[in-house]
Amino acid sequence: MQLKDKVALITGAASGIGKEIALEYAKEGAKVVIADLALDAAKATADEINKSGGKAMAVAMNVTDEAQVDKGIADAVAAFGGIDVLISNAGIQIISPIVDSTLENWRKMLAIHLDGAYLTTRAAMREMIKAGRGGSIIYMGSVHSHEASPLKAPYVTAKHGLIGLAKVVAKEGAKDKIRANVICPGFVRTPLVEKQIPEQAKQFGITEDAVVKTIMLKDTVDGEFTTTHDVAQTAIFLAAFPSNALTGQSIVVSHGWFMQ
Ligand code: NAD
């Protein structure tokens, strides 16, 4: 039980990577707060954890909405007595060449990935400082925090931005034993990626199989997808790490697609 009695709030935890982290954190003894736009799905994940003997609650949270973020964090603190781990994970993908893209979609992407990370960080840090027991903040970056791909300008911009935010949080948080790190997964077969496969096939005029083999997995060492389990194990390691020695870093989990 590496996270026994730690309170972890995970955004976007009703699906994909965030959901797997919630399930794995609960197995490690954490009390888990499932914060998501999709409240019914968040409640279903929380029920699954509670039925199997863990502790979880769902909160409705659009991470771009200041009031909802502050309320979600306050509700979590009221129910579970603090926040020890924040995982800023909620995200979407919209693909388009820059020349065909819209300002509206650019703003939407930056709002979810960057405003969301900022707002949840601010609210969680305030609680962590008040409680005086330190904390771990983990951002869900991507290989696209380091590397670029066509059609993904706002996503790549936002994911690079998370590394800057993590470094500042690492410096400002150190005196209160708050660490900040970024996990950078390669392609993981979640709904976010399943949606992209036909979209990229259309944009590039190639088959869906070719999207997987010649775009998504081309530069991995073994042609394998990263899994939600791989990412969740990394998130456990980062949250359980005992000192400020590991802060301000990004860890790439991508079957060698990107090597630092
Ligand atoms: P997913 O679509 O399975 O899950 C995303 C979740 O975020 C959903 O439950 C959705 O309701 C929630 N969400 C979306 N907008 C929100 C908002 N404004 N407020 C609160 N919740 C919101 O996607 P996923 O693949 O699990 O992605 C999770 C994170 O991992 C994202 O930040 C994504 O960029 C990142 N990531 C994914 C991959 C991949 O290949 N799947 C790779 C690298 C990084």
Side-chain angles (χ1 to χ4, degrees):
M1 289 260 180
Q2 298 183 66
L3 301 175
K4 189 151 174 42
D5 294 330
K6 299 275 184 210
V7 180
L9 184 138
I10 307 163
T11 67
S15 172
I17 291 171
K19 179 174 178 180
E20 178 80 2
I21 294 174
L23 298 173
E24 292 292 314
Y25 267 36
K27 285 188 206 153
E28 293 294 336
K31 297 177 200 162
V32 182
V33 185
I34 318 281
D36 207 291
L37 206 54
L39 184 58
D40 286 347
K43 280 184 179 157
T45 304
D47 285 350
E48 191 178 331
I49 291 171
N50 287 323
K51 275 186 197 136
S52 57
K55 269 211 168 70
M57 67 184 279
V59 296
M61 185 188 288
N62 179 343
V63 295
T64 68
D65 183 312
E66 186 174 15
Q68 281 188 31
V69 169
D70 289 348
K71 182 172 185 320
I73 299 261
D75 288 352
V77 170
F80 286 158
I83 300 274
D84 300 291
V85 183
L86 165 68
I87 305 201
S88 169
N89 164 80
I92 62 164
Q93 179 63 281
I94 300 173
I95 62 165
S96 169
I98 293 170
V99 291
D100 298 332
S101 64
T102 63
L103 179 59
E104 189 190 355
N105 280 346
W106 169 268
R107 286 190 173 142
K108 183 175 179 187
M109 289 291 285
L110 296 197
I112 295 173
H113 291 273
L114 289 179
D115 297 4
Y118 159 70
L119 289 171
T120 51
T121 296
R122 189 181 67 176
M125 276 183 92
R126 285 175 176 164
E127 293 297 338
M128 286 171 179
I129 292 167
K130 217 189 297 170
R133 54 185 205 231
S136 172
I137 297 182
I138 299 171
Y139 299 99
M140 199 51 64
S142 163
V143 163
H144 288 114
S145 298
H146 295 280
E147 191 46 276
S149 294
L151 312 183
K152 296 189 174 173
Y155 189 83
V156 170
T157 303
K159 293 300 190 190
H160 274 65
L162 290 176
I163 291 196
L165 177 61
K167 288 177 179 174
V168 177
V169 174
K171 292 201 173 190
E172 290 190 9
K175 65 181 185 315
D176 293 295
K177 302 246 175 307
I178 298 168
R179 296 176 300 107
N181 293 288
V182 186
I183 301 177
C184 299
F187 281 100
V188 184
R189 282 200 99 136
T190 64
L192 181 143
V193 160
E194 296 296 349
K195 178 170 168 281
Q196 255 182 80
I197 295 173
E199 289 174 355
Q200 291 214 30
K202 196 168 160 216
Q203 284 280 352
F204 290 119
I206 57 178
T207 65
E208 293 187 15
D209 193 48
V211 170
V212 169
K213 292 198 175 122
T214 66
I215 297 178
M216 294 184 164
L217 304 180
K218 178 170 84 64
D219 294 322
T220 60
V221 293
D222 52 10
E224 298 272 346
F225 275 99
T226 301
T227 66
T228 56
H229 185 74
D230 297 325
V231 181
Q233 294 312 305
T234 312
I236 291 169
F237 167 73
L238 282 174
F241 198 83
S243 80
N244 273 346
L246 184 48
T247 193
Q249 305 303 310
S250 69
I251 299 191
V252 182
V253 189
S254 71
H255 284 257
W257 165 16
F258 179 82
M259 299 191 191
Q260 310 206 56

